[in-house]
Amino acid sequence: MAADGDAFRRARGRTLTAFRQDDEYQWKGPFYFIQGADPQFGLIKAWAVGDTTNGDDEWGEEIKLTEQAVQAINKLNPKPKFFVLCGDLIHGMPGTQWRKDQEQDLKNILKNTDQDIPLVFVSGNHDVGNTPTRETIDNYCESWGDDYFSFWVGGVFFLVLNSQLYFDSSKCPELKQAQDVWLNGQLGAAEKHNCKHIIVFQHIPLFLRKPDEEHDYFNLEKSVRQELMERFHKAGIKAVFSGHYHRNAGGSYKGLEMVVSSAIGCQLGEDAHGLRVVVVTDEKIVHRYYSLDELSSQGLEKEMLDMLAKQN
């Protein structure tokens, strides 16, 4: 088990071990990555039986869907630069009965991801708890790596945040403060390196459709959201990618795009189980949500491939 755990702790020391930072400060032309969210092993059964607290004792359907996602990604040509999972890796909350089994089954599938496609993990509310504690976050980090970190790929700066600290940090206020201090330092460093774009990954969206919408379970509280949006806007962040909603959604705030991707696992709306393909060009960030069936059978569409072929 120890070796297995080590294999999945891809982010350590607040950076991703897969990329050598010094090699990645320079823009080298367009590239793309894959964003997934909410494989959430156990939710399909729990949702079907109407017991989201204890009904997650089966996850065979999620296993099949995640296997399909990994197989689809492995077949893509050219290969994506990385595959990011934006939280709720499993359904079992910290301390619940099926959590360890769900984690192990997910790891067994993710091990089959092409070795040349780094995995990037983002913590969700089911991963660290709705009201996280130092212990729940430490346990997550032991299994999946740091709960927040940054990395560079081809001149683009990526920030992974623990959005649960912005949702409810009442049991670990010092950890929220530490993330805030770290984030300020990272944004300062990004300015010095003259990066092409800055992109954020977090589990809970800032907002679903409008920056001033009312606060509920699926977005951040209005004053917290406003402060973050303004901070991100001033830092020149182009896009925030998240999950949590189990539906596709999104909007924008002063040129900052909020992209909410539906789930690999349980769907709460009309979307298909899927993944988002994100192409990063010199000038812009272009993305499209593909169903798993579509990505498996057809791969990237011509428009996306054409953008990748355009070297600057």
Side-chain angles (χ1 to χ4, degrees):
M1 276 298 289
D4 183 43
D6 289 346
F8 284 95
R9 290 206 295 273
R10 304 294 167 92
R12 299 178 207 173
R14 304 291 176 208
T15 190
L16 202 65
T17 54
F19 296 104
R20 281 175 54 86
Q21 206 152 294
D22 296 348
D23 300 340
E24 297 293 344
Y25 287 139
Q26 299 306 313
W27 175 251
K28 302 178 183 111
F31 64 88
Y32 81 104
F33 62 86
I34 302 289
Q35 184 220 4
D38 303 273
Q40 206 161 339
F41 281 26
L43 178 58
I44 291 175
K45 164 84 186 299
W47 192 258
V49 299
D51 180 1
T52 53
T53 308
N54 301 303
D56 60 331
D57 58 346
E58 290 175 23
W59 49 92
E61 212 171 326
E62 286 95 339
I63 284 175
K64 282 184 198 154
L65 290 162
T66 309
E67 283 175 342
Q68 187 183 1
V70 167
Q71 286 160 10
I73 290 167
N74 286 349
K75 282 196 321 195
L76 292 172
N77 185 23
K79 287 176 184 174
K81 283 285 188 184
F82 58 86
F83 171 29
V84 57
L85 273 170
C86 279
D88 281 3
L89 306 173
I90 55 168
H91 182 68
M93 286 281 189
T96 56
Q97 185 177 4
W98 304 108
R99 184 178 173 90
K100 284 271 179 269
D101 291 341
Q102 290 168 359
E103 270 195 359
Q104 194 54 53
D105 283 352
L106 178 58
K107 285 181 174 181
N108 287 342
I109 295 163
L110 293 176
K111 270 183 204 161
N112 298 318
T113 310
D114 186 313
Q115 290 302 298
D116 293 332
I117 304 170
L119 293 164
V120 180
F121 299 113
V122 181
S123 63
N125 57 305
H126 282 262
D127 305 311
V128 298
N130 283 324
T131 306
T133 64
R134 183 176 284 279
E135 184 188 12
T136 65
I137 290 174
D138 283 349
N139 288 340
Y140 169 84
C141 295
E142 187 61 32
S143 265
W144 301 103
D146 289 346
D147 58 322
Y148 59 89
F149 55 96
S150 65
F151 60 101
W152 288 80
V153 176
V156 177
F157 190 46
F158 293 93
L159 290 159
V160 172
L161 299 180
N162 180 348
S163 55
Q164 218 52 40
L165 295 173
Y166 294 118
F167 192 82
D168 182 359
S169 63
S170 58
K171 289 189 177 167
C172 54
E174 75 286 0
L175 297 185
K176 176 187 182 287
Q177 189 185 358
Q179 178 172 253
D180 275 336
V181 169
W182 172 87
L183 179 58
N184 285 339
Q186 294 297 302
L187 294 174
E191 204 175 351
K192 282 185 199 143
H193 279 287
N194 195 23
C195 52
K196 277 283 173 201
H197 308 288
I198 309 174
I199 295 172
V200 170
F201 299 121
Q202 60 187 55
H203 178 62
I204 300 180
L206 298 166
F207 58 89
L208 298 173
R209 301 194 188 281
K210 294 183 178 166
D212 59 351
E213 70 197 15
E214 289 308 306
H215 166 56
D216 67 18
Y217 175 77
F218 288 113
N219 59 20
L220 290 179
E221 195 271 318
K222 277 173 114 169
S223 63
V224 174
R225 177 197 317 166
Q226 186 59 43
E227 188 199 335
L228 276 173
M229 289 189 307
E230 201 49 39
R231 204 159 153 198
F232 289 177
H233 163 66
K234 282 185 178 148
I237 291 169
K238 295 279 180 70
V240 176
F241 288 88
S242 70
H244 189 51
Y245 191 44
H246 295 255
R247 288 154 280 210
N248 287 309
S252 66
Y253 171 83
K254 297 184 180 177
L256 167 72
E257 189 179 8
M258 182 67 244
V259 184
V260 185
S261 293
S262 197
I264 292 170
C266 187
Q267 298 299 315
L268 301 183
E270 303 301 313
D271 296 298
H273 307 280
L275 294 164
R276 193 172 292 277
V277 173
V278 185
V279 176
V280 182
T281 75
D282 189 16
E283 293 167 355
K284 56 190 178 177
I285 295 152
V286 181
H287 52 87
R288 189 192 147 197
Y289 186 82
Y290 288 78
S291 75
L292 293 180
D293 289 343
E294 204 178 0
L295 201 60
S296 301
S297 60
Q298 298 162 27
L300 302 188
E301 65 198 311
K302 186 175 182 304
E303 184 192 352
M304 293 285 200
L305 291 169
D306 286 349
M307 275 190 275
L308 291 169
K310 283 181 187 162
Q311 290 302 318
N312 298 314

